Amino acid sequence: MSETVGAALRAAADALNAAGIPGAVWEARHLLADLTGLTPTQMLTDPDRPLDRAATYRAWIERRAAGEPSSRITGFRDFRGLSFRVTAETLDPRIDSEVLVDTVVAQCGDGPARIADLGTGTGCLLLTLLTERPAWRGIGVDLSFGAARTARENAMRLGLAGRAVLLRGSWSHALADASLDILISNPPYILRAVLPGLDAAVRDFDPALALDGGADGLDAYRAIAGDAPRVLKPGGRLFLEIGWDQGQSVPALLTAQGFRDIAVTQDDGGRDRVVSATAPQ
Ligand SMILES: C[S@@+](CC[C@H](N)C(=O)[O-])C[C@H]1O[C@@H](n2cnc3c(N)ncnc32)[C@H](O)[C@@H]1O
């Protein structure tokens, strides 16, 4: 006799609970919904329906119980209400990065603008902003071929390919002088020495290229700040996600490059999260 949806869900929640995965029941339902297309209502109202793809579901639950993030298993992550394809070459988008999107939306108008996103990964920051600002056009750049390809795929899936160009390249090197109204980046900012001690869900599944900020965590900020005055129009706006302890060091780099109106925005936990600044005139 084939396994039912209700029995599979109970077994999955028990396995995830035993492995100490927070929100085990929710995770069990989320993975089943992704695999089968069943809605939570169908799971609750028809628990005796036979489960298709039961073996795959068990394998997914084993991987999740072993600590693999759900986005690495399903290949997708929701970010600000949109679904993004995630691959081994992209960072798994973090809810913390929504602070950068909120800050840009709050500080920039909705008229036509040209924006670039350096280290675009899945493209989640750029593509979310293009969705919320229909008059904007954007360029996303990533050093990883695979990330640039995935960001392009996400742009197509979201119907944004006509307003977004996704390129493989290093930071802003390929961008023209004074070509941007807005420059954003969530660059790698973790100290190289602490990478081996990171939580296994990050260390073993996010690409090192997305995490490694060099000896002091500031390598990428130095590169971006050094070239930003060239690619931004005079008075253009810069927005950088930062680590919780970089609320002084990153503004100091921007001050040295002539940026003004430098401000630090905190996340919901009160930690420094985003630095915004205005390019020299
Ligand atoms: C912290 S991840 C951010 C990804 C995405 N923007 C997000 O917020 O989810 C940093 C990204 O920078 C990219 N990167 C690293 N070095 C780079 C470089 N020299 N030029 C462009 N991108 C780079 C990595 O491949 C990675 O996708």
Side-chain angles (χ1 to χ4, degrees):
M1 205 174 72
S2 58
E3 191 171 5
T4 65
V5 163
L9 273 174
R10 277 192 300 279
D14 287 349
L16 295 177
N17 251 326
I21 302 293
V25 172
W26 184 90
E27 290 262 0
R29 283 191 197 140
H30 166 70
L31 288 170
L32 189 66
D34 230 275
L35 181 66
T36 62
L38 286 173
T39 65
T41 307
Q42 287 171 317
M43 294 177 204
L44 288 170
T45 57
D46 193 8
D48 295 329
R49 86 163 54 206
L51 175 62
D52 297 332
R53 308 190 64 194
T56 305
Y57 185 55
R58 275 194 297 275
W60 279 20
I61 293 298
E62 274 175 32
R63 287 168 64 185
R64 186 70 194 97
E68 189 168 346
S70 61
S71 62
R72 301 291 175 196
I73 300 169
T74 64
F76 291 93
R77 170 69 75 193
D78 284 350
F79 181 81
R80 217 172 153 95
L82 300 175
S83 173
F84 288 88
R85 181 99 175 90
V86 175
T87 67
E89 289 139 314
T90 65
L91 187 86
D92 187 358
R94 306 293 205 273
I95 192 164
D96 288 338
S97 298
E98 293 193 15
V99 179
L100 187 144
V101 175
D102 285 332
T103 309
V104 175
V105 167
Q107 295 190 19
C108 301
D110 56 7
R114 184 169 291 269
I115 178 173
D117 175 20
L118 306 181
T120 198
T122 56
C124 60
L125 303 176
L126 176 70
L127 299 175
T128 302
L129 284 164
L130 293 184
T131 301
E132 299 186 22
R133 289 288 185 261
W136 292 8
R137 306 181 75 82
I139 302 173
V141 181
D142 206 290
L143 192 60
S144 156
F145 274 114
R149 191 174 48 228
T150 300
R152 206 171 297 135
E153 180 188 332
N154 281 324
M156 286 192 284
R157 290 179 61 251
L158 294 167
L160 293 167
R163 287 194 288 128
V165 175
L166 286 314
L167 305 172
R168 191 260 168 182
S170 186
W171 305 132
S172 48
H173 296 173
L175 305 184
D177 293 0
S179 55
L180 300 173
D181 301 287
I182 304 164
L183 181 59
I184 64 170
S185 183
N186 172 20
Y189 54 68
I190 299 175
L191 273 65
R192 187 166 299 152
V194 310
L195 291 175
L198 288 178
D199 193 82
V202 176
R203 186 195 59 219
D204 297 347
F205 296 102
D206 282 313
L209 187 63
L211 303 174
D212 186 350
D216 63 357
L218 296 171
D219 281 2
Y221 296 106
R222 281 192 201 91
I224 292 169
D227 199 34
R230 179 184 69 78
V231 294
L232 277 165
K233 295 177 184 171
R237 305 281 289 141
L238 174 66
F239 298 87
L240 299 172
E241 178 167 329
I242 58 166
W244 61 271
D245 55 354
Q246 294 173 322
Q248 297 196 338
S249 50
V250 173
L253 289 174
L254 297 179
T255 302
Q257 296 298 330
F259 279 87
R260 55 194 169 81
D261 307 331
I262 299 172
V264 179
T265 303
Q266 282 79 34
D267 60 22
D268 288 346
R271 289 166 303 237
D272 291 345
R273 179 60 62 186
V274 172
V275 176
S276 52
T278 303
Q281 288 291 343

